Amino acid sequence: MNRQLVGRLGIAVIAIAAVTAGIFILGDNGSPPSPPSVAVVGEPSLSSVPPRTIMATVTSTSTPPAPSGYQVVFELAGTGTATVVYDANGLGLVHQELEVPLPWRKEFSWAAPGSIQLLGQGSGAVECRVSVGGRVVKTQKSAPGAVAACVS
């Protein structure tokens, strides 16, 4: 049998099953079925329940949840201005900023660890530094006019 024909027949069967299930669930008139009636017989009065004292002590032993994500800080040190290329979320989408005054700093909150990409180039020496969770994970200093690259 032809694969296209088999695929079309499969889709038709699924569509018919969905329509049939919808009619069965909603009933003949298109409205959801009403819940069954429940009769309450002999409701207790408040006077028939003896008074009780309930005491509870709640102690919390759980620690507060840790902050989600990773705090990432990109920094460029040097004098003058620089061209900066960086990945703001660790997923490879780079941003470029021209003639930023040094020192330069950007902070991000990433959902998961990603690839680090921070490049800086100025007329003088530039130092790039990347911190994750307050700990420096990459640093590099360039020669005057060269690119400082913190990439992993």
Side-chain angles (χ1 to χ4, degrees), residues 96-120:
Q96 179 177 351
E97 295 184 23
L98 305 173
E99 297 185 32
V100 297
L102 296 177
W104 173 89
R105 176 184 172 102
K106 289 270 183 171
E107 295 184 29
F108 305 99
S109 181
W110 291 0
S115 64
I116 295 171
Q117 296 182 41
L118 171 61
L119 307 171

Side-chain angles (χ1 to χ4, degrees), residues 15-28 30-33:
I16 291 169
V19 169
T20 304
I23 291 171
F24 177 75
I25 291 171
L26 294 177
D28 291 333
S31 63

Side-chain angles (χ1 to χ4, degrees), residues 53-134:
T53 303
I54 299 174
M55 296 176 60
T57 305
V58 178
T59 58
S60 176
T61 58
S62 65
T63 58
S68 62
Y70 296 84
Q71 297 306 114
V72 179
V73 178
F74 288 168
E75 297 176 278
L76 282 182
T79 58
T81 61
T83 298
V84 183
V85 178
Y86 60 93
D87 182 356
N89 60 10
L91 300 176
L93 180 62
V94 294
H95 300 274
Q96 179 177 351
E97 295 184 23
L98 305 173
E99 297 185 32
V100 297
L102 296 177
W104 173 89
R105 176 184 172 102
K106 289 270 183 171
E107 295 184 29
F108 305 99
S109 181
W110 291 0
S115 64
I116 295 171
Q117 296 182 41
L118 171 61
L119 307 171
Q121 180 180 21
S123 57
V126 176
E127 181 179 0
C128 65
R129 186 176 317 119
V130 178
S131 303
V132 177

